[in-house]
Amino acid sequence: MAELPGREIVMGGVTQPWDPNPVFRALPPDEFAAFRDPGYVKIVWTLRADPVGDGKSVFRTETRAVATDSESRKKFRRYWSLLSPGIIAIRRAMLPVPGEFVLMQQLVFGISRDNVSASDMI
């Protein structure tokens, strides 16, 4: 079996997560970096697959957030302090099981099923 190189997808958006129906607005990387409109949080998350040998991979995800002004920071901290336990539990529940991980690699990275099988994932 071919060894998979580490692969990472980085996504981001600006939003007001405390809003009852938050909308994530994607921006090109240069616009995202320069975005300073007050009243928002800039959120970046990654999906990463790293080979660990013997044809196995480890899937990782990381999220970072920064508010664009002090009032948004206060709102985000209040939002996160109340809802983070549920958000973390949902994220853990939604992390791909091996078969879904294989599908994600196929769709996102263009890796053939011939090179990766669910039984090869940890």
Side-chain angles (χ1 to χ4, degrees):
M1 171 171 286
E3 191 67 33
L4 298 174
R7 302 286 181 110
E8 184 173 63
I9 297 173
V10 179
M11 299 168 277
V14 297
T15 189
Q16 296 172 321
W18 51 82
D19 188 78
N21 295 305
V23 174
F24 280 81
R25 193 170 86 208
L27 297 173
D30 57 329
E31 289 180 37
F32 183 86
F35 186 86
R36 303 272 189 275
D37 292 4
Y40 290 89
V41 175
K42 299 188 330 181
I43 300 176
V44 175
W45 61 97
T46 62
L47 301 174
R48 182 167 180 85
D50 291 305
V52 293
D54 297 327
K56 293 179 174 37
S57 295
V58 172
F59 177 76
R60 295 178 171 91
T61 182
E62 180 179 359
T63 304
R64 294 184 182 224
V66 64
T68 56
D69 61 86
S70 60
E71 186 60 31
S72 296
R73 181 175 167 79
K74 288 176 190 173
K75 288 180 180 180
F76 183 73
R77 288 178 62 91
R78 188 171 37 253
Y79 158 85
W80 189 249
S81 68
L82 294 172
L83 299 177
S84 64
I87 292 168
I88 292 167
I90 290 168
R91 177 171 289 189
R92 286 190 178 141
M94 291 179 64
L95 282 175
V97 295
E100 292 167 341
F101 183 72
V102 170
L103 180 60
M104 190 242 350
Q105 286 189 340
Q106 289 174 314
L107 295 174
V108 174
F109 302 134
I111 296 171
S112 165
R113 185 179 272 299
D114 296 338
N115 295 334
V116 182
S117 70
S119 63
D120 291 328
M121 299 294 149
I122 49 176

